[in-house]
Structure formats: structure tokens, C-alpha cells
Amino acid sequence: MEEKLIPVVCPWCSVGCRFYAVSVNGYIKRVEFDYDHPKIPNRGKLCPKGVASYQFINSPKRLKKPLKRVGAKGEGKFEEISWEEAYRIIADKIKEIKETYGPEAIAFLSSEKITLEENYLVHKLSKAVGTNHLDFPGRYCQYSNSPARIAVFGTSAATNPFEDVAKAELVVVWGHNPAETAPVFFGQYVEKAILDNGAEMIVVDPRATRGHKYASLHLKPYPGTDLAVALAMLNVVIGEELYDKEFVQEKTTGFDKLKESVEGYTPEWAEKISGVPADDIRKAARLIASKRTAFLVNEGVNQHVDGLNTALAIANLIAITGNIGKEGVWSGVFPGAQCGFCSAMSGIAPNKLPTGKPVTDEAAREELERLWGFPIPDWVGFDLTTMVREIGNRIRMMYIVGGNIAKSMPNSGWVREQLEKLDFLVVQDIFLTETAKYADIVLPAAAWFEKTGTAISAERRVQRTYKAAEAPGEAKPDWLILVELARELGFGEFFKYEHPDEILREINSVIPVFKGATPEYLAEHPEGCFFPCAEPGEGTKILFKNGFKTPDGKAHLQPVDWREPPEMPDSEYPFWLTNFRLVGHWHTNTMSGESPSLEKRWPEEYVMINPKDARALGIKSGDLVKVSTRRGSILVKAEVTDHVREGVIAMPWHWQVNFLTLDEIHEKTKMAELKAVAAKVEKVEE
């Protein structure tokens, strides 16, 4: 049996690590480190998830045939059916719902777990069906940071390649834990900046993470109060005139209004709200203003109702200190999601075309209609939050590709109640997830290693990943399922694809920023290219050298007001509850929970509690405790540790914590409160 080395992009985080899958007759035996290509982001290194990355595809729980529900919704009882019957049932139901309620009663949900080509086809199919109700679970990932950066800079894309992090003089890790969520990135770039190049590091996090040992300053705000800290930093930088005056004068607008808006937000004011000493806020602000700074911002900032305001304040801080548009800085969307996240963000949205233009832009819509050959609806669709809230009312059917919203969305109990109300649900996935158990039809998809496609990392690097294994049973690649369903619906003339290369070539012609990322170029260049890439080649490594993506080319500074978290601790629920990621697990555990080596090392959830709080409650490490919020309660073991500040408890979010989180949302971004809710902890007498 001949061993083949198949180059693949790791399916886990958004760093875009490459390695070889050692394949024998369509079965992956092991992985080999890729030291052959020094330009790839991981330079041969892998984290525990990368080493174990292929294990989940061999799980006996993989879906192998289409399923039709025979029990109650959520019960998980199904019978196997043929692909032909599955397509016929789905197509008939789509036509029935369109005739009865109109196409606006149908919603599509795409995923960061699939390739650029597949996300593109989900978008195209939704438009062919006649609906703009289109989103993906990343709504609860970067939809605070992304609109904030668009408002200030004109685009949410990362400003620089990862290599510039290593050139920074200061690294600010804010609401992010890259040492665990992106260990290879942390080791290759952050540690290099600190250990080899003498950079300093500031951490803003209520927990002590694996990387905090390098921090010269660790600010520990109460969960949900990061905005107060950011506003106070702006107060210091502006009040002490530490900002880059030339940059502000020539390349920004709105400075005077920003200055006026932060006058009252002093470090002393912020200390009362956040618990962060005023002197530490001043030290951090002065460092940021005086050094070439890389900002690594993630879910600790984003997953709050006030996340947009916090992200706007940080974007303002980046702009007025001039830490953008040059070498040796970094900022942008650094999702805690798969490489497919950036693929999804490239076009999956209820208000945009895949070109990035608004669906309401008549000229852009007409151009795409000319390329695609069918009419496109002109109204703005529902985001994920609104979709779920409108189930049973304006939404009657959902088609979900790879998303597990029954576990990933806040207030999981309510989400499952909503899913029960759907007239019809299709779930396309590799396992029978918590969400799939509510489906009327479940379609078995091929996993990441079982198909060829394109991935986009957090540094805007576009790479090709290749099929290294055969899918089990009758499972098919997501792109092929979508093409075959489109044909059943009568759209076959618009979906004439036989290989992902054909889809990518269409993307090259439809989406300008990917014009040069051709199958041929990516095949010859494993390191890929940086979008925007107007022609085959390296692409654009650093953005904003010659201005921003705003109409006037300037950064538009945004005044921001303080906003209190929607739920505060009180006498009944005295703790702040937040959540975090483990190095060995990912998202809702769908894949990592089926990886034996990861599951063995990280077998269960727990709650972190400060020693002082634990003593007051009579709790020791290993005790069984009940963690409760106004949404419900769960039982977990306690871990007593000074890695979490007093008054705060923290849980890994891969298991049940979203039964406790709050579904109150921001009026614009629809971001919910996932990381700062009021809770209590009680010891359970066994």
C-alpha cells in the first residue's frame, strides 16, 4: 500500500497551518509536519488539535446516509433514506413554503466549517431560491469587531501579515487567549516578538491565561466592563496629548468630537466600574501611544451586548496612536473559528452580495444577475438572531449547513424551543449534532479532509487544501450536495459544476478581491496569497498604506458612550460568569469531542473560582457544585485557582455553559451577552 503525502490546511483555528496528511487508499494514517515551505504561517509546527486533527473523521458516529425524522423533534429518531428521496422531499418543501408564505419565509445558515467555494454556493443557492435571509454562526464571533472596524477604517480585514506581530514593540492581547486558542501563532509570532525582539506585552482579561506570564502589565476588568477601560485609555492618550498628531491631522476625521466624548471617562472613573487600578490604565495607555503596537482582540471583547462600543473605542485608539497602515503593527478580525470563518465573512451576510456590495445596490445586483443568470431579491434579510426569533412567525423553514446553533447560541434552552416550531428544518453536517436532532431531513456531508477547497486565514491568506481521505458511506462534499439539490429545484443550468476548481474560477470572475487566487496559482504556491489579490501573485500584505477604504480615504473616528452590561451581579446572583476556550477543544465539541486523544486529555467541563470566594462558600477543588443563572443551572466540578479574579467564575464553553448565557442583544449588531452574566455557585452535598 503506497503512502501519499497530501497537503492540507488544518481545519481548526484561523491561523491556517499547513501539514501533510499521510493517506493510504483513502484513509489517513497520521500527519507529517511540513518543513518544506518556509513561507507558510506555521513553519512546520502544529498544536495538539493539529496533531489530532484527522481523528474525528474516523468516528463511528459519522453520518453515512441521508436521514428522515420519524420521532419527535429533538428526540433524535430517524430512518435512512436515499439521496434521491431526500432531495425530492427538500425541493418539494421549499416549493410548498414559497407558494404558501413566499421565499422570505425560508432562511439559510452557512458555516465557518466549510470551504470558500461551498460558502459561495450556499449564498448563490439562497439567492436562487429567492431569499436574503442568510447568515452564519460567526454572528456570535466577530460581529462586534467587524462592524466597528468597517465604521472606522472601511473594512474589517486584518491589516498586516502575522509576521508583523513579531516585529511589534508592544503586543496588546485584549479579550483573547492565543496561547491556547492559536498556540502555533502565539509561539511563532508573539513569543518571537517578546523573547527575540524585546517587545512588551499587555494582557486585558479577567483570567490569567497561559500566555500572561510574558505580560509586563495584566489588566483584569470585570467581565463586560472592557469598554470602561478602553474609554479611559482614550481619555489618557488624548488628555496627555500622546496621540500621533500628524496622523490624526492628515488621516482621520472626527477627532474633536471624540476628544469631547471621552473627557469624563477618567482612569479613576473606569477603576470604579472595572476594578482595574487607574495607574495601570495610565501605564497601558502610555505604552500603546509610545510603541509600535500589535492589537490581538477577540471574543472577550466581541461577545457582549456592548461589544460594538468596545471595539469602536479600540479602533479609535489604534487610529489616533497611528498603529495602522505600516510594518510592525497588527489589528483586525482574529476569529476563534476555523479558516472557513474568513471564507464565510467574505460574503455570507443578510445585507450583502458575495461581491461585498449591499443587496440594495441596484447596479451591483444587476451585474451579478448578468453573471449568474437569474434575478436576485433586493431586500435586506434577517441575521441569525432575528431568524431564530422569527421562527414560527416570519420564518417557517431553515437550511443549516454545518452549524450547531442549538448549542452555540446563547440561552440554549430557548433556542431549542424555537427549533421545535419550524415547519421544516434541513441540517447538512458530519455528525448528528444537537441541532440536527431537530431536523426533518439530515444530509451526511464529507468532512474537511475529504474534499478539495479553499481556506482563508485571519491574516487574509488564501490557501488550497486537498482531499486526503474518502468520505464514509454515502456522505458527499457540501458543494456537491448543494449542486445536486439546486438541480432538483430546477436551477441546474446555473449550477453546472463538476469540481471545486470550476467554482473557484467563477469566484475569481465574480469577487474582485479573489481575482488572482486561481486554482492554478494556489496549486503552484502552497503559501497562497493575501487578498485583495487582483492578479496571480503575492497579493496585498499590508492594508491602508495609502489611505483607508472609506469614501474620503480617512479613518472615521467614532465617539462612544459608556454602556452598562445588561445583567449585573446582585445579592441573589453575586458572581460574574464568563467563559473561555480550552487548548484541546473547539466550539461545541462536535469534532474535538470525537477525537480520542483530545477527549482523553480534556474530558469534562468545570468552573474556575477564586480561592477567597471558594473559602467563603466552603468549596474545594474537585467538589461538585451547581452553577446557576436566571436561565438555568448545571452541575460541574470546581477548580479553585487564583487564575480567575475575585468575584468572577469562569467555565469552558464547549459543553453546557450556553444554557446559562443571556440572549439579550445589541440593537444594531444583534450580538448577545455570552461572556458576562450574573451567576451563583452552590456546593452540592453528595
Side-chain angles (χ1 to χ4, degrees):
M1 294 185 293
E2 181 185 1
E3 292 187 345
K4 296 181 179 180
L5 295 181
I6 310 296
V8 296
V9 177
C10 183
W12 297 105
C13 77
S14 56
V15 173
C17 297
R18 295 188 69 90
F19 57 86
Y20 293 112
V22 181
S23 179
V24 178
N25 291 339
Y27 179 85
I28 300 177
K29 290 181 60 179
R30 63 183 186 279
V31 302
E32 290 281 352
F33 300 92
D34 182 357
Y35 295 106
D36 299 330
H37 302 96
K39 292 183 179 181
I40 62 176
N42 55 314
R43 298 166 185 168
K45 307 296 183 182
L46 290 176
C47 76
K49 289 191 294 293
V51 173
S53 58
Y54 66 95
Q55 293 179 0
F56 70 88
I57 73 171
N58 299 320
S59 169
K61 297 180 183 178
R62 285 289 303 277
L63 294 171
K64 299 178 178 66
K65 292 194 70 173
L67 303 175
K68 178 182 177 182
R69 180 172 59 83
V70 294
K73 290 187 177 183
E75 193 176 8
K77 291 185 178 180
F78 296 88
E79 65 178 10
E80 293 182 347
I81 59 175
S82 68
W83 277 103
E84 291 74 18
E85 184 179 359
Y87 289 143
R88 178 180 53 77
I89 292 172
I90 296 168
D92 287 348
K93 200 66 181 180
I94 288 175
K95 293 172 184 175
E96 175 190 328
I97 289 175
K98 285 179 67 174
E99 291 173 3
T100 306
Y101 302 102
E104 61 273 18
I106 302 171
F108 283 79
L109 192 66
S110 200
S111 175
E112 65 273 20
K113 295 179 183 176
I114 60 178
T115 66
L116 172 64
E117 293 85 352
E118 291 166 336
N119 272 305
Y120 175 79
L121 288 192
V122 175
H123 198 151
K124 188 173 182 179
L125 182 59
S126 70
K127 296 294 185 285
V129 168
T131 182
N132 283 333
H133 297 322
L134 172 71
D135 210 343
F136 74 113
R139 169 68 53 183
Y140 292 115
C141 185
Q142 291 292 329
Y143 273 82
S144 292
N145 196 16
S146 179
R149 293 180 61 80
I150 290 171
V152 178
F153 305 123
T155 178
S156 62
T159 59
N160 296 59
F162 290 153
E163 63 192 46
D164 276 2
V165 174
K167 301 172 185 176
E169 297 171 329
L170 175 68
V171 180
V172 176
V173 182
W174 198 322
H176 191 12
N177 181 16
E180 289 193 78
T181 59
V184 173
F185 164 79
F186 188 84
Q188 292 288 337
Y189 303 101
V190 179
E191 283 188 322
K192 182 176 178 62
I194 296 166
L195 300 179
D196 294 353
N197 299 336
E200 293 188 69
M201 184 166 80
I202 298 172
V203 171
V204 187
D205 199 309
R207 290 194 318 126
T209 65
R210 287 178 181 264
H212 87 283
K213 63 183 178 181
Y214 294 118
S216 55
L217 195 57
H218 184 184
L219 312 185
K220 300 178 182 179
Y222 291 118
T225 66
D226 300 73
L227 175 57
V229 175
L231 290 171
M233 287 184 181
L234 285 168
N235 174 280
V236 172
V237 172
I238 294 174
E240 297 183 6
E241 297 190 358
L242 303 176
Y243 56 92
D244 186 327
K245 296 179 178 61
E246 182 179 349
F247 187 92
V248 168
Q249 176 68 30
E250 296 180 0
K251 298 185 178 182
T252 73
T253 63
F255 179 76
D256 289 340
K257 289 184 178 179
L258 176 64
K259 178 180 179 180
E260 182 181 353
S261 73
V262 300
E263 283 182 357
Y265 297 131
T266 64
E268 286 73 21
W269 166 83
E271 180 177 354
K272 293 176 183 178
I273 292 172
S274 67
V276 177
D279 285 348
D280 286 349
I281 294 175
R282 285 193 174 88
K283 289 176 185 175
R286 291 165 182 166
L287 279 170
I288 291 168
S290 65
K291 293 182 179 292
R292 198 169 58 244
T293 304
F295 284 83
L296 309 180
V297 177
N298 209 344
E299 315 296 36
V301 167
N302 294 316
Q303 292 182 324
H304 298 282
V305 169
D306 68 355
L308 174 64
N309 287 357
T310 308
L312 282 170
I314 294 172
N316 290 333
L317 186 63
I318 291 168
I320 67 171
T321 56
N323 280 302
I324 195 165
K326 59 187 179 183
E327 190 177 273
V329 301
W330 202 94
S331 65
V333 172
F334 201 121
Q338 288 91 336
C339 277
F341 180 95
C342 296
S343 303
M345 282 201 73
S346 299
I348 300 297
N351 61 338
K352 291 183 179 180
L353 301 169
T355 57
K357 298 288 184 64
V359 295
T360 53
D361 184 327
E362 185 176 359
R365 208 171 51 251
E366 288 177 352
E367 173 63 14
L368 190 56
E369 288 174 345
R370 183 185 65 79
L371 293 169
W372 277 355
F374 56 82
I376 297 171
D378 60 358
W379 42 271
V380 174
F382 290 155
D383 58 87
L384 171 56
T385 304
T386 307
M387 286 180 195
V388 176
R389 291 190 172 197
E390 287 292 334
I391 287 175
N393 183 17
R394 288 186 284 178
I395 296 298
R396 316 297 300 196
M397 174 184 172
M398 290 187 72
Y399 193 114
I400 299 177
V401 181
N404 190 13
I405 61 174
K407 196 173 180 182
S408 64
M409 285 184 70
N411 196 357
S412 297
W414 167 77
V415 175
R416 297 178 190 199
E417 290 174 1
Q418 290 296 99
L419 290 175
E420 289 181 0
K421 300 176 185 177
L422 278 168
D423 291 9
F424 197 71
L425 172 62
V426 180
V427 172
Q428 189 169 308
D429 215 318
I430 62 175
F431 291 108
L432 191 66
T433 64
E434 288 81 359
T435 304
K437 291 177 181 178
Y438 289 84
D440 295 278
I441 298 291
V442 179
L443 302 178
W448 186 264
F449 293 97
E450 297 161 354
K451 56 191 175 184
T452 293
T454 304
I456 307 175
S457 74
E459 61 175 344
R460 294 180 287 108
R461 188 188 294 267
V462 185
Q463 302 177 86
R464 214 78 199 284
T465 187
Y466 295 94
K467 179 180 177 180
E470 294 297 331
E474 297 179 16
K476 300 181 180 184
D478 292 279
W479 69 266
L480 183 56
I481 297 172
L482 295 165
V483 167
E484 292 179 345
L485 176 60
R487 291 170 181 165
E488 182 70 24
L489 284 162
F491 304 137
E493 63 181 301
F494 312 121
F495 289 79
K496 295 179 180 179
Y497 311 106
E498 301 296 333
H499 189 276
D501 284 359
E502 297 173 11
I503 307 170
L504 182 55
R505 290 191 188 100
E506 182 172 307
I507 291 171
N508 298 150
S509 66
V510 170
I511 307 179
V513 297
F514 297 129
K515 184 177 180 181
T518 64
E520 293 75 19
Y521 180 83
L522 296 180
E524 294 173 6
H525 297 83
E527 73 279 6
C529 60
F530 295 88
F531 82 84
C533 42
E535 58 186 31
E538 183 180 66
T540 309
K541 295 187 76 172
I542 299 178
L543 298 182
F544 311 135
K545 281 186 172 182
N546 301 310
F548 297 95
K549 297 289 286 184
T550 54
D552 60 5
K554 294 186 177 184
H556 292 189
L557 304 176
Q558 306 285 321
V560 179
D561 292 323
W562 163 247
R563 179 171 179 161
E564 188 176 81
E567 188 173 88
M568 304 282 285
D570 55 25
S571 58
E572 185 178 3
Y573 295 94
F575 289 98
W576 287 105
L577 169 63
T578 191
N579 58 71
F580 60 93
R581 301 170 189 268
L582 294 170
V583 65
H585 281 301
W586 207 246
H587 288 204
T588 63
N589 241 350
T590 300
M591 299 186 300
S592 56
E594 295 300 325
S595 302
S597 64
L598 300 178
E599 184 67 9
K600 182 177 181 180
R601 286 187 63 186
W602 295 276
E604 61 183 354
E605 61 188 329
Y606 55 91
V607 60
M608 299 173 72
I609 184 169
N610 183 272
K612 185 174 180 179
D613 293 326
R615 283 195 297 271
L617 295 170
I619 293 172
K620 302 186 297 296
S621 283
D623 285 349
L624 185 67
V625 299
K626 181 168 73 170
V627 180
S628 305
T629 69
R630 290 179 175 87
R631 271 68 59 197
S633 303
I634 56 178
L635 299 179
V636 291
K637 290 182 179 179
E639 180 182 295
V640 179
T641 173
D642 58 6
H643 284 190
V644 64
R645 68 168 298 168
E646 187 180 344
V648 176
I649 58 174
M651 297 177 62
W653 84 277
H654 315 289
W655 285 273
Q656 304 177 82
V657 74
N658 271 334
F659 280 100
L660 308 179
T661 50
L662 180 63
D663 58 300
E664 184 167 335
I665 59 171
H666 187 276
E667 60 278 3
K668 180 179 179 180
T669 65
K670 305 301 190 293
M671 177 63 76
E673 190 55 60
L674 286 141
K675 287 195 179 292
V677 295
K680 61 183 176 182
V681 184
E682 302 166 278
K683 183 177 179 180
V684 177
E685 300 298 334
E686 299 181 77

